């Protein structure tokens, strides 16, 4: 029997450590290359969406920012650099503050919308009869095209239309809902509430249904009523979704476009910031000034979102 090959080694001798850079084709492992592959592989899957995001989001934003420093009319092949003149012109226009006053109507409407959506989501999350039918009815307006909604409510609010006919049954006279500057923004904000309430209801409903049922059982044993269950179980559990809806409400109220543009075209003090920007670009051929207005709107939305995150930090909700 032959002696082992390690017999000639000294007592303190050790075998050589395995070579980590051996060729994997010879049966050896390469941990360094494996780590590189693990780091690089996810980026291969993200390459396509990141490319689309850069081409259709960040590149247009960069172009818009560059246009805001020029006097380009959108058609001329030449663009003259004007520096900050567009921003100075924008902030010295009194119409700027007027359109933000109009946004307050939509902001109040968003608060009403969130409260109504939270109420319906809470009611429909329980064992209400025909709850699936009511879910579909409330969510259906969000599926309709915004232009179609604008035309439908254009006839709904016209003089002698559907709304005036219903109100006449109760002895209320006709009103110029879209012609009266004191009523037009309230009417348009009401249309937005009707359209987007279903989306918020679905978000709240999904969050409420994710709450463990054991919490409701324990609250019922302790004698908690429905309001106490909402206050101490539902509201804290869906706080992140409420915060998200608040951010979407503020950004949406600042960038309203479809409904007022279709129904009034911005007349009778119903012009929003986006409608004003569109008119600057395509009616007055001031694309540079319109780009500056778009940049200002983007900065305002980002600033409001940051302030909301700062004042209402997202908290991790523990459900047990």
């Amino acid at each position: 029997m032959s002696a082992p090959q390690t017999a000639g080694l000294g007592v303190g001798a050790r075998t050589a450590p395995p070579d980590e850079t051996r060729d994997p084709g010879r049966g050896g492992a390469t941990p360094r290359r494996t780590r590189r592959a693990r780091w690089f592989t996810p980026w291969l899957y993200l390459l396509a969406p990141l490319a689309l995001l850069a081409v259709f989001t960040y590149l247009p934003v960069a172009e818009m920012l560059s246009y805001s420093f020029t006097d380009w009319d959108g058609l001329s092949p030449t663009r003259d650099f004007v520096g900050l003149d567009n921003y100075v012109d924008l902030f010295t226009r009194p119409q700027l503050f007027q359109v933000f006053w109009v946004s307050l109507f939509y902001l109040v409407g968003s608060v009403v919308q969130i409260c109504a959506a939270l109420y319906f989501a809470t009611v429909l999350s329980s064992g209400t009869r025909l709850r699936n039918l009511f879910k579909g009815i409330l969510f259906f307006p969000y599926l309709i095209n915004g232009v179609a909604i604008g035309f439908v409510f254009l006839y709904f609010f016209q003089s002698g239309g559907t709304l005036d006919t219903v109100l006449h049954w109760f002895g209320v006279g006709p009103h110029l809902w879209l012609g009266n500057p004191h009523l037009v923004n309230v009417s348009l904000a009401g249309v937005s509430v009707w359209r987007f309430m279903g989306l918020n209801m679905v978000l709240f409903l999904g969050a409420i249904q994710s709450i463990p049922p054991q919490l409701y059982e324990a609250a019922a044993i302790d004698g908690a009523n429905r309001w106490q269950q909402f206050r101490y179980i539902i509201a804290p559990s869906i706080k992140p979704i409420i915060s998200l809806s608040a951010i979407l409400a503020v950004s949406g109220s600042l960038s309203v476009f479809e409904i007022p543009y279709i129904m009034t075209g911005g007349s009778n003090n119903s012009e929003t910031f986006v409608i004003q920007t569109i008119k600057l670009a395509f009616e007055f051929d001031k694309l540079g000034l319109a780009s500056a207005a778009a940049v200002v709107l983007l900065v305002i939305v980002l600033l409001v979102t940051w302030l909301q995150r700062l004042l209402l930090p997202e908290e991790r909700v523990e459900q047990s």
Side-chain angles (χ1 to χ4, degrees), residues 11-320:
V11 176
R14 294 178 299 177
T15 58
D19 187 2
E20 294 185 354
T21 61
R22 284 182 296 175
D23 187 359
R26 298 181 180 178
T30 56
R32 188 176 302 173
R33 293 184 181 178
T34 303
R35 287 195 295 268
R36 290 178 180 175
R38 290 177 180 175
W39 175 85
F40 186 75
T41 300
W43 291 101
L44 291 177
Y45 294 98
L46 293 174
L47 184 61
L50 288 178
L52 293 174
L53 182 65
V55 171
F56 294 103
T57 301
Y58 297 119
L59 184 60
V61 170
E63 289 287 334
M64 179 182 66
L65 184 61
S66 65
Y67 293 156
S68 67
F69 297 106
T70 66
D71 61 351
W72 190 38
D73 60 359
L75 299 175
S76 175
T78 59
R79 303 177 221 165
D80 296 329
F81 181 78
V82 296
L84 299 176
D85 290 349
N86 288 329
Y87 294 94
V88 174
D89 186 13
L90 187 65
F91 281 100
T92 53
R93 289 173 175 262
Q95 295 88 347
L96 175 68
F97 303 97
Q98 180 181 353
V99 295
F100 281 121
W101 171 256
V102 173
S103 298
L104 290 178
F105 288 91
Y106 295 94
L107 183 60
V108 174
S110 298
V111 175
V112 175
Q113 166 190 305
I114 291 176
C115 294
L118 191 57
Y119 170 78
F120 285 114
T122 304
V123 172
L124 295 177
S125 63
S126 59
T128 306
R129 295 182 59 184
L130 302 177
R131 59 180 180 275
N132 291 329
L133 175 63
F134 290 117
K135 291 176 186 177
I137 293 175
L138 293 174
F139 184 69
F140 179 73
Y142 179 72
L143 302 178
I144 306 176
N145 183 269
V147 177
I149 291 178
F151 280 111
V152 169
F153 277 92
L154 188 62
Y155 293 101
F156 179 81
F157 285 116
Q158 71 178 357
S159 181
T162 305
L163 183 58
D164 283 341
T165 301
V166 174
L167 293 178
H168 181 70
W169 298 343
F170 300 94
V172 180
H175 295 84
L176 294 176
W177 300 100
L178 301 180
N180 189 340
H182 301 289
L183 296 176
V184 59
N185 291 313
V186 177
S187 303
L188 296 175
V191 177
S192 297
V193 171
W194 178 82
R195 182 188 180 190
F196 293 103
M197 185 189 66
L199 175 63
N200 287 276
M201 183 205 67
V202 170
L203 295 176
F204 294 148
L205 189 61
I208 292 174
Q209 290 178 345
S210 66
I211 300 175
Q214 294 84 355
L215 296 180
Y216 297 108
E217 296 175 359
I221 294 175
D222 292 337
N225 54 29
R226 295 300 299 272
W227 164 249
Q228 292 173 333
Q229 291 180 8
F230 172 81
R231 180 179 178 182
Y232 297 106
I233 298 178
I234 296 178
S237 299
I238 65 172
K239 185 178 179 180
I241 305 299
I242 297 177
S243 178
L244 174 63
S245 298
I247 293 175
L248 294 177
V250 174
S251 61
S253 63
L254 293 173
S255 57
V256 176
F257 172 68
E258 285 180 320
I259 300 299
Y261 187 78
I262 295 297
M263 297 181 65
T264 63
S267 60
N268 297 324
N269 295 329
S270 64
E271 188 177 62
T272 62
F273 194 91
V274 178
I275 294 178
Q276 183 188 72
T277 303
I278 295 296
K279 288 184 176 180
L280 287 174
F282 299 105
E283 291 187 13
F284 302 103
D285 296 330
K286 295 183 178 181
L287 195 65
L289 185 61
S291 299
V295 171
V296 170
L297 179 61
L298 177 62
V299 172
I300 291 175
V301 171
L302 293 177
L303 180 61
V304 170
T305 304
W306 177 75
L307 289 176
Q308 283 185 311
R309 290 292 186 182
L310 183 64
L311 298 176
L312 299 173
E314 185 174 348
E315 299 178 359
R316 184 177 179 86
V317 179
E318 297 291 342
Q319 297 178 352
S320 59

